[in-house]
Amino acid sequence: MARSSSAKPPPTKGGTYTPPKSTNQVEKRHDDYTSEGVGDNDIFLLPLSDYHVMLVMTILGAIVRLFRIYQPTSVVFDEVHFGGFATKYIKGKFFMDVHPPLAKLLITLFGWLAGFKGDFDFKEIGKDYLEPGVPYVAMRLFPAICGILLVPTMFLTLKAVGCRTATAALGAAFIIFENGLLTQARLILLDSPLVVATAFTALAFSSFTNQHEQGPSKAFDASWWFWLVMTGLGMGITVSIKWVGLFTIAWVGFLTLVQLWVLLGDTKTVTMRIFAKHFLARAFCLIIIPITFYMAMFSIHFLCLVNPGDGDGFMSSEFQATLNNKGMQDVPVDVAFGSRVTIRHVNTQGGYLHSHPLMYPTGSQQQQVTLYPHKDDNNIFLLENQTQPLDANGEAINGTNAWDDLKNIGENYIKDGDVIRLYHLATHRRLHSHDVRPPVTEADWQNEVSAYGYEGFAGDANDLFRIEIIKKQSLGSIAKERLRTIQTKFRLVHVMTGCVLFSHKVKLPEWASEQQEVTCAKGGTLPNSLWYIESNGHPQLANDAEKVNYVNPGFFGKFWELQKVMWRTNAGLVESHAWDSRPQSWPILRRGINFWGKDHRQIYLMGNPIVWYTSTLAVVVYALFKGIAVLRWQRSCNDYSNATFKRFDYEIGTSVLGWALHYFPFFLMQRQLFLHHYFPALFFAVMAFCQIFDFATARFPIPGVRENPIVNKAGVITLLTISAIVFALYSPLAYGNAWTKAECNRVKLFSTWDWDCNTFLETYDAYSGLGANPSQISQTPQPAVDNKKQPPANQPVAGNKQDAPEAGISGAPKFEPQSQRVIGREERIEYRDQDGNILNEEQVKALEGKVEFKTRYETRTRVIDANGNEVEVPLEDLGAAGVAPPHPDVEGANQETKKVARDDPVPKEASSSKDGEKEAERSVPKPASEGNEATV
């Protein structure tokens, strides 16, 4: 049965409003933990008219969210990342992202149901969806549905906290007409699912709180349990989308502690047994359920990603061994002189000790030694003693294979403290170091490591390294005494100089295929100096010899390792971004984010100023109220004896607390931050404004206001109308619609609102001359642009991700003078040398494989008249065409973003080995910045 809330009685037949009894009229004070002034606001028992209003608002929200959702027809902002993750889910290729998997899994599900087969890479902003037939609309539909559901969620949450229907409709309208939320909800991004999950948690906990505050009579009944379970589920959903959900958990946790504190103080109706039931019920629902749900999402994540991918380089060898084709067969555990081994670095996950027949261009100019992430024949080293073995006559046995015929291999096990040489089988050179600075890290405490010698060369003293087993890191008593495959962790100490074989996350230049640098460091950190043997073989080891393999970490081991990697990667996103911003600018809507631009249209993340400024004002009003209330309380004023005063403090305080816990933690972060990080806090701020509005127009005993519901409704209509008008003014930036320069400049109130009005044409009629509607425009994918050679072109950069792919130019600049007709376009490729001279086909063919060609886009426009004569056009007119999307911010990245040097940057995959077994090319993972994110 639907019924009205006792806090908001319906109007009488004459249309007058009967106010609730004042505090002085309350006949009975509760002697238990029941809160004064609280009615039953069960959202399942609302009047049918409330559901009708909610339905109308939801339909309106759907129209606004789904209008032209097909445009743009190319990749926008962080669709680069989250669309790309859908591709990897479908192909089962492991990737690493700083965000939990739930929203990405659901985006993938929508794409898969629409027929997406993972054959599109979402590589760069502006890449066309139409020609390859990507079901991008279906993938955008999931965030859009989340954006639509946010409307009724706000409505019901405000009803659950006791607001009038008109006030709840105002909150829903603010969500509908919020331009920033609209922009996020129309693209393949995570923030729309995040905000609706946060809102659902707020709805569930507000409903549970309403049940709790009605006292012992409601405790442990069906509704009480339902909303408590839903709160736990909402927390699990929220934190499984982004770790920002931890702030939502903190909000619920803080208010739960307040509830338990009140229960503890009720000595009349709450015995210790009942208190224990309350505590355990909350512990199970608010701790066990969220954790279980969160871990279940990662279980699905692991089930989907079973193949090696561009993210497995972030993970340990044990983790990688669980992926298809990454596991290895059992290998002999005992290591002796003459063993053929591959040696792996422990700390950086950079890969294997490696050499190839390329020389350093500087220093000793000897053969390069690097760290290479793939299995390769160039990773194999032969372990030799510092002296050759002796035959039966005591004569030295020379040659590489001298150790193969040893009869008693047990006497030749390599022990802690043994001095060895490492012979590179593929090039017949030995690992070598000397007092020469490395080519990249030219530090006095680091020496170059090279491969030196030739086949048959006996070597010299600089080839000698001493085994130093690190017992605390080694597994098993035997592994602490002598080398054991996988089990022993050791250092290689250069005998002549005392330095230690060392590697860190520094990439060598292109002349070393961008592989990881290996040096010999004096005083290098222990983690970066640790090595272990992964594969091992020796002719004298029988087939039944003791063998070893990686220990399967199991689900919990993989889960915990991934959490640590996500945390480290997220904390490492500290580089500045062209469109980042700091938290102090968010409540005042100082600047947005340039998402996309093409064909004189632009998508720019911009909030509705009415929604943002009124919500920020609400927070300020409550802060002032609380400050005055505390001062009056200290002066023994009896304000809190008034139930309405007390309810105002608690209810608005609850929403402002949610705003604060979703806002202030960002001040502690040095990583990339963006305007969209404020959206969860914005939801709570809008709630606070609506609650203050409701108290002012319906609950405070203001003469002529509370008794007259028309005041509340008139205020709602006024605010709704203003927000809708402002929404319409800025909507071209959300939809990517046609706009004119004049209209753009008219609503650009602040210089920090840095979208470029010059992007747009002078009149709407001019757009018809473009010859195609944005929904019909197909764009040819372009290769990445070499920024070093291209003219400076401002464009949006995919946010939230470390090492994000460069956002290529979204098509060449087009000059289309409005007074002239474009009759044709011609594209051609020219190859030039470093001096700008054009190369012919024979010269290009001769250079293939010897040099690397860089791509540079240039557009040259010739304007001809009807007779075919070329018309001179001023250069400034040609330049006005620009490239998409423009970036008018001459200051570039926000200067307030802290730049922190990282000792432990995100690993980047190396290029393929020279003259080795070439592995499949692996692209670098792009974690959010939002990261941005893709961004917390």
Side-chain angles (χ1 to χ4, degrees):
M1 289 292 293
R3 60 174 175 81
S4 61
S5 170
S6 61
K8 301 172 293 303
T12 63
K13 293 182 179 179
T16 60
Y17 175 73
T18 304
K21 294 181 180 181
S22 66
T23 306
N24 297 330
Q25 294 173 304
V26 175
E27 298 178 357
K28 179 181 177 182
R29 289 184 176 273
H30 300 282
D31 57 358
D32 52 30
Y33 64 86
T34 303
S35 298
E36 295 182 50
V38 174
D40 188 357
N41 300 324
D42 193 336
I43 62 171
F44 293 121
L45 302 175
L46 299 177
L48 289 177
S49 58
D50 284 1
Y51 297 120
H52 295 158
V53 172
M54 182 182 73
L55 180 61
V56 170
M57 301 303 292
T58 304
I59 293 173
L60 179 60
I63 294 172
V64 170
R65 268 25 178 199
L66 299 178
F67 176 69
R68 293 183 178 176
I69 196 173
Y70 55 80
Q71 69 180 29
T73 61
S74 56
V75 178
V76 179
F77 196 55
D78 273 357
E79 289 186 336
V80 166
H81 307 299
F82 303 121
F85 292 149
T87 294
K88 292 167 186 174
Y89 270 126
I90 290 174
K91 292 185 175 181
K93 291 186 176 182
F94 185 84
F95 64 88
M96 214 300 296
D97 181 40
V98 296
H99 302 306
L102 176 57
K104 293 173 290 188
L105 285 168
L106 291 173
I107 289 171
T108 304
L109 177 63
F110 273 67
W112 179 76
L113 291 174
F116 184 48
K117 295 180 173 58
D119 49 4
F120 185 78
D121 58 13
F122 297 86
K123 187 175 181 180
E124 58 192 14
I125 293 174
K127 191 168 185 179
D128 180 51
Y129 285 138
L130 297 182
E131 183 178 352
V134 182
Y136 70 100
V137 173
M139 298 174 75
R140 287 177 179 174
L141 193 60
F142 168 65
I145 291 173
C146 292
I148 294 168
L149 292 177
L150 185 61
V151 176
T153 304
M154 172 62 87
F155 182 92
L156 292 174
T157 304
L158 291 172
K159 293 296 293 184
V161 297
C163 291
R164 280 188 178 185
T165 300
T167 305
L170 173 64
F174 271 15
I175 296 298
I176 294 171
F177 297 125
E178 210 300 290
N179 300 65
L181 292 173
L182 168 66
T183 306
Q184 289 285 335
R186 293 169 49 80
L187 303 170
I188 307 172
L189 303 174
L190 303 188
D191 293 278
S192 185
L194 172 68
V195 176
V196 77
T198 303
F200 174 76
T201 306
L203 167 62
F205 190 71
S206 297
S207 297
F208 171 74
T209 299
N210 180 252
Q211 297 295 308
H212 164 78
E213 289 190 313
Q214 293 178 65
S217 63
K218 291 286 188 176
F220 306 110
D221 67 4
S223 182
W224 188 95
W225 275 110
F226 175 80
W227 288 119
L228 184 59
V229 171
M230 288 299 102
T231 301
L233 183 62
M235 291 162 60
I237 292 172
T238 306
V239 78
S240 296
I241 295 173
K242 280 189 176 184
W243 277 354
V244 174
L246 293 172
F247 304 153
T248 309
I249 292 175
W251 178 69
V252 172
F254 182 87
L255 295 175
T256 300
L257 291 177
V258 172
Q259 292 178 1
L260 291 173
W261 182 254
V262 172
L263 287 169
L264 192 61
D266 183 0
T267 58
K268 292 184 179 181
T269 61
V270 180
T271 64
M272 290 308 299
R273 179 175 176 275
I274 295 177
F275 179 81
K277 287 178 63 178
H278 279 278
F279 178 84
L280 292 176
R282 287 166 170 81
F284 175 79
C285 293
L286 304 182
I287 298 177
I288 303 302
I289 289 179
I291 291 176
T292 302
F293 186 92
Y294 181 75
M295 297 180 72
M297 294 304 101
F298 277 94
S299 178
I300 298 173
H301 179 75
F302 292 145
L303 288 175
C304 293
L305 303 180
V306 295
N307 299 317
D310 56 17
D312 55 38
F314 287 82
M315 314 311 295
S316 69
S317 302
E318 289 81 0
F319 190 109
Q320 293 182 40
T322 65
L323 302 174
N324 292 339
N325 303 321
K326 273 285 189 174
M328 66 179 189
Q329 296 181 346
D330 294 346
V331 293
V333 69
D334 293 312
V335 181
F337 292 115
S339 288
R340 281 76 168 170
V341 301
T342 58
I343 301 174
R344 193 156 191 169
H345 195 233
V346 171
N347 193 43
T348 63
Q349 299 303 324
Y352 302 90
L353 189 65
H354 177 92
S355 188
H356 44 230
L358 292 176
M359 306 301 163
Y360 289 121
T362 60
S364 67
Q365 298 185 351
Q366 295 174 5
Q367 184 170 294
Q368 299 169 9
V369 172
T370 65
L371 217 60
Y372 181 61
H374 310 298
K375 293 182 178 180
D376 191 286
D377 289 343
N378 281 332
N379 303 337
I380 301 175
F381 288 84
L382 174 70
L383 301 183
E384 299 179 317
N385 199 347
Q386 58 181 323
T387 58
Q388 291 294 106
L390 303 178
D391 60 14
N393 300 320
E395 298 292 331
I397 303 175
N398 295 319
T400 304
N401 300 322
W403 303 94
D404 293 355
D405 298 326
L406 297 177
K407 300 304 179 184
N408 189 358
I409 191 172
E411 296 180 357
N412 290 280
Y413 289 152
I414 300 177
K415 298 179 290 296
D416 186 21
D418 282 354
V419 176
I420 66 169
R421 297 180 296 178
L422 293 92
Y423 184 85
H424 191 243
L425 288 174
T427 60
H428 306 290
R429 292 181 168 92
R430 292 181 176 88
L431 195 71
H432 186 90
S433 187
H434 38 224
D435 191 15
V436 176
R437 301 289 75 75
V440 174
T441 307
E442 298 180 353
D444 291 339
W445 55 280
Q446 297 206 55
N447 292 341
E448 179 191 82
V449 173
S450 63
Y452 175 68
Y454 50 86
E455 188 172 8
F457 177 60
D460 63 22
N462 280 329
D463 300 340
L464 301 179
F465 289 83
R466 184 176 67 254
I467 296 290
E468 184 179 290
I469 293 177
I470 307 301
K471 295 179 172 54
K472 290 183 179 180
Q473 302 282 346
S474 301
L475 302 175
S477 58
I478 300 177
K480 300 179 190 299
E481 303 299 328
R482 57 183 173 88
L483 282 190
R484 304 262 288 182
T485 306
I486 295 178
Q487 299 174 354
T488 302
K489 305 299 187 294
F490 60 91
R491 300 200 307 167
L492 288 169
V493 182
H494 191 243
V495 172
M496 295 300 293
T497 63
C499 61
V500 179
L501 195 67
F502 177 90
S503 185
H504 51 169
K505 293 176 183 177
V506 172
K507 295 298 179 184
L508 295 170
E510 292 183 1
W511 47 255
S513 304
E514 295 183 346
Q515 295 174 14
Q516 188 165 306
E517 183 182 48
V518 173
T519 67
C520 195
K522 300 175 183 177
T525 60
L526 178 64
N528 285 339
S529 305
L530 280 182
W531 306 83
Y532 70 95
I533 293 172
E534 182 182 79
S535 65
N536 171 33
H538 196 291
Q540 294 300 315
L541 288 173
N543 291 333
D544 59 352
E546 182 183 359
K547 295 184 179 180
V548 70
N549 207 329
Y550 287 116
V551 177
N552 190 321
F555 168 74
F556 291 103
K558 293 172 65 177
F559 170 81
W560 183 243
E561 179 181 341
L562 185 55
Q563 304 308 301
K564 294 189 289 186
V565 172
M566 290 166 60
W567 178 268
R568 288 197 301 267
T569 306
N570 191 42
L573 299 176
V574 295
E575 284 93 353
S576 294
H577 187 284
W579 298 98
D580 66 2
S581 55
R582 301 310 299 173
Q584 58 268 27
S585 69
W586 299 341
I588 59 174
L589 196 59
R590 188 172 185 270
R591 78 181 305 219
I593 308 172
N594 189 11
F595 271 15
W596 176 91
K598 183 183 175 185
D599 300 300
H600 302 285
R601 292 169 168 85
Q602 187 173 7
I603 291 181
Y604 183 96
L605 183 67
M606 172 69 183
N608 186 321
I610 299 300
V611 177
W612 285 65
Y613 295 153
T614 54
S615 62
T616 300
L617 177 63
V619 174
V620 174
V621 167
Y622 177 76
L624 294 174
F625 160 82
K626 189 65 177 178
I628 295 172
V630 170
L631 292 176
R632 288 177 57 82
W633 173 80
Q634 182 67 14
R635 295 296 299 171
S636 300
C637 296
N638 202 25
D639 297 329
Y640 282 94
S641 64
N642 183 293
T644 304
F645 185 94
K646 189 158 50 176
R647 294 310 303 170
F648 180 89
D649 185 26
Y650 180 77
E651 292 176 14
I652 285 78
T654 297
S655 297
V656 172
L657 177 66
W659 171 85
L661 289 175
H662 287 81
Y663 174 61
F664 288 115
F666 288 105
F667 284 91
L668 304 177
M669 301 181 188
Q670 296 178 340
R671 56 150 292 171
Q672 294 171 355
L673 296 173
F674 297 87
L675 180 66
H676 56 72
H677 286 113
Y678 185 69
F679 284 141
L682 178 66
F683 175 84
F684 285 99
V686 171
M687 273 190 63
F689 173 78
C690 292
Q691 289 173 286
I692 292 175
F693 176 83
D694 195 73
F695 269 92
T697 60
R699 298 175 69 176
F700 283 142
I702 303 174
V705 176
R706 186 172 69 175
E707 295 81 5
N708 189 3
I710 195 65
V711 175
N712 176 267
K713 294 177 181 178
V716 167
I717 292 173
T718 301
L719 289 170
L720 192 154
T721 302
I722 295 174
S723 63
I725 292 172
V726 173
F727 163 80
L729 291 175
Y730 293 99
S731 63
L733 292 175
Y735 290 115
N737 287 340
W739 214 13
T740 65
K741 292 181 182 179
E743 291 181 353
C744 174
N745 284 313
R746 186 167 64 249
V747 299
K748 191 174 183 180
L749 304 181
F750 306 106
S751 61
T752 54
W753 292 0
D754 47 4
W755 65 84
D756 186 9
C757 290
N758 292 323
T759 298
F760 306 102
L761 299 179
E762 297 290 346
T763 65
Y764 287 106
D765 292 338
Y767 284 91
S768 61
L770 295 178
N773 184 279
S775 63
Q776 300 170 332
I777 294 173
S778 177
Q779 178 185 347
T780 303
Q782 302 288 350
V785 180
D786 180 21
N787 290 331
K788 294 181 181 179
K789 291 190 176 183
Q790 85 175 69
N794 294 317
Q795 53 191 325
V797 184
N800 300 352
K801 306 290 173 183
Q802 173 73 16
D803 296 329
E806 294 295 325
I809 296 176
S810 302
K814 301 176 182 178
F815 171 68
E816 298 182 0
Q818 300 178 33
S819 59
Q820 303 289 342
R821 184 166 59 93
V822 177
I823 60 174
R825 290 190 178 89
E826 179 182 291
E827 294 182 4
R828 65 177 179 177
I829 299 175
E830 294 178 350
Y831 292 91
R832 297 175 182 266
D833 60 17
Q834 66 273 15
D835 299 320
N837 302 315
I838 297 178
L839 305 178
N840 59 35
E841 293 184 3
E842 291 77 12
Q843 291 172 315
V844 172
K845 189 172 182 180
L847 290 173
E848 287 181 353
K850 299 180 181 179
V851 300
E852 181 179 0
F853 292 99
K854 298 291 186 181
T855 304
R856 172 176 173 175
Y857 293 100
E858 290 186 358
T859 298
R860 301 175 185 175
T861 304
R862 291 191 308 123
V863 181
I864 58 175
D865 58 21
N867 299 321
N869 300 316
E870 185 167 348
V871 178
E872 293 292 334
V873 179
L875 289 177
E876 56 270 20
D877 290 343
L878 292 174
V883 296
H887 180 177
D889 183 8
V890 296
E891 296 179 354
N894 191 322
Q895 300 302 312
E896 297 178 3
T897 299
K898 297 183 179 179
K899 299 180 180 180
V900 180
R902 289 182 293 165
D903 296 329
D904 194 28
V906 177
K908 178 180 178 183
E909 295 295 350
S911 301
S912 299
S913 170
K914 300 295 182 182
D915 291 348
E917 178 183 353
K918 186 174 181 179
E919 302 290 334
E921 184 178 355
R922 303 164 67 187
S923 61
V924 182
K926 290 90 182 172
S929 82
E930 225 161 24
N932 349 164
E933 90 258 121
T935 152
V936 176

